[in-house]
Amino acid sequence: MIRDIGDGFEVPDDLWNDETRRPLWAELPAGKAAPAVALAPAADDTKPAAAFVVPADWENLPVGERRALASKISGQDVKRAADADKIIDAYAASLKPEVFGDAPAPQTVVEAQKAIGGVEPDWVAPSTPKPVSD
């Protein structure tokens, strides 16, 4: 089915709730509640990993809530809203999967030609005709 740009569509709940299969390009329409995304920091040997719940629309949170969330993530008291936004943004970006992270290394034209057995000429050199026998 072909849709016009900006047309709405439904993503099944089982697909949306599975973080590995959720379409990264999909956005919620205005007025619908944004799902909460549970983000967990990398575990180190000294303390267990704690899960932080960061709403998908965290930019719309009040300043006090953003500072509190940034304080939880960093483990330090965050005073300025701009610093809190940087901490939350960096934390959320660090946990997103890398786009095309598993893509193979690019090939050069020469490598591709070697892989298919060489370059086939687009013409045949003239030679004496060979008689055809049946």
Side-chain angles (χ1 to χ4, degrees), residues 54-65:
V54 178
D57 59 348
W58 62 266
E59 292 99 350
N60 297 331
L61 290 175
V63 174
E65 290 181 27

Side-chain angles (χ1 to χ4, degrees), residues 39-52 91:
L39 303 174
D44 60 21
D45 298 331
T46 60
K47 61 181 178 180
F52 298 110
Y91 179 71

Side-chain angles (χ1 to χ4, degrees), residues 12-94:
D13 287 339
D14 59 331
L15 180 66
W16 186 263
N17 293 333
D18 185 2
E19 300 245 350
T20 58
R21 295 174 45 215
R22 179 187 303 163
L24 298 176
W25 44 264
E27 295 177 4
L28 286 175
K32 288 211 174 182
V37 179
L39 303 174
D44 60 21
D45 298 331
T46 60
K47 61 181 178 180
F52 298 110
V53 177
V54 178
D57 59 348
W58 62 266
E59 292 99 350
N60 297 331
L61 290 175
V63 174
E65 290 181 27
R66 290 197 321 251
R67 286 195 330 236
L69 180 61
S71 295
K72 282 186 204 175
I73 292 171
S74 67
Q76 300 172 355
D77 190 28
V78 178
K79 301 279 187 200
R80 295 180 34 199
D83 294 337
D85 291 345
K86 288 178 186 177
I87 291 169
I88 296 170
D89 190 37
Y91 179 71
S94 70

